[in-house]
């Protein structure tokens, strides 16, 4: 079996955070082409603040209800504030850390709990 066959996602259900554009959109498209229930099969867009535990939990619940389960998640949501380091404020730094680190943590916890239970 070749690498392409090993990476098939036929019938798998998953989600991509930050999937509206850029790397996230390309990843979601690739997952769909590999057989996952995404673009061209079943697509749902859920506006979620990945730094809010309740919103993340609600998003995973909605995904599992609408897709009928969850087999994988791809945490892609992230931000970059392009300012020189000496001009970046502590509030800006915290926003980047909150989205890029805490958002991943919260999403992995919510999705992982579902996947472990099922």
């Amino acid at each position: 079996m070749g690498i392409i066959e090993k990476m098939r996602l036929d019938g798998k259900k998953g989600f991509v955070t930050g999937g509206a554009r850029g790397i996230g959109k390309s990843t979601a498209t690739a997952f769909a082409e590999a057989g996952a229930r995404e673009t061209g099969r079943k697509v749902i867009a859920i506006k979620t603040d990945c730094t809010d535990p309740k919103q993340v939990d609600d998003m995973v619940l909605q995904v599992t209800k609408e897709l009928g389960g969850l087999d994988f998640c791809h945490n892609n949501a992230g931000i970059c504030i392009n300012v020189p380091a000496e001009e970046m404020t502590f509030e800006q730094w915290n926003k980047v850390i909150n989205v890029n680190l805490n958002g991943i943590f919260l999403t992995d916890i919510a999705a992982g709990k579902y996947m472990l239970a099922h």
Side-chain angles (χ1 to χ4, degrees):
M1 177 185 295
I3 189 68
I4 298 301
E5 290 80 23
K6 288 180 181 178
M7 297 185 73
R8 295 292 312 164
L9 296 172
D10 296 315
K12 299 294 183 186
K13 302 163 196 105
F15 66 87
V16 176
T17 63
R21 61 187 176 141
I23 293 170
K25 183 177 180 181
S26 295
T27 302
T29 301
F31 287 162
E33 289 174 0
R37 288 191 64 188
E38 293 181 359
T39 305
R41 288 162 178 82
K42 171 99 179 186
V43 171
I44 54 175
I46 306 169
K47 184 177 179 181
T48 305
D49 176 351
C50 68
T51 67
D52 181 324
K54 177 156 179 15
Q55 286 189 40
V56 172
D57 288 343
D58 290 346
M59 182 252 321
V60 170
L61 181 63
Q62 185 176 349
V63 165
T64 59
K65 283 183 178 178
E66 293 200 30
L67 296 183
L70 181 63
D71 300 301
F72 69 89
C73 71
H74 176 74
N75 285 301
N76 175 74
I79 63 168
C80 177
I81 299 175
N82 289 314
V83 297
E86 70 275 12
E87 294 176 18
M88 181 171 275
T89 67
F90 187 64
E91 291 76 22
Q92 290 171 317
W93 174 253
N94 274 335
K95 183 176 182 177
V96 170
I97 293 300
N98 202 21
V99 171
N100 295 357
L101 297 180
N102 294 333
I104 299 293
F105 172 78
L106 292 172
T107 304
D108 280 347
I109 293 297
K113 283 180 181 178
Y114 177 88
M115 288 186 274
L116 287 170
H118 296 87

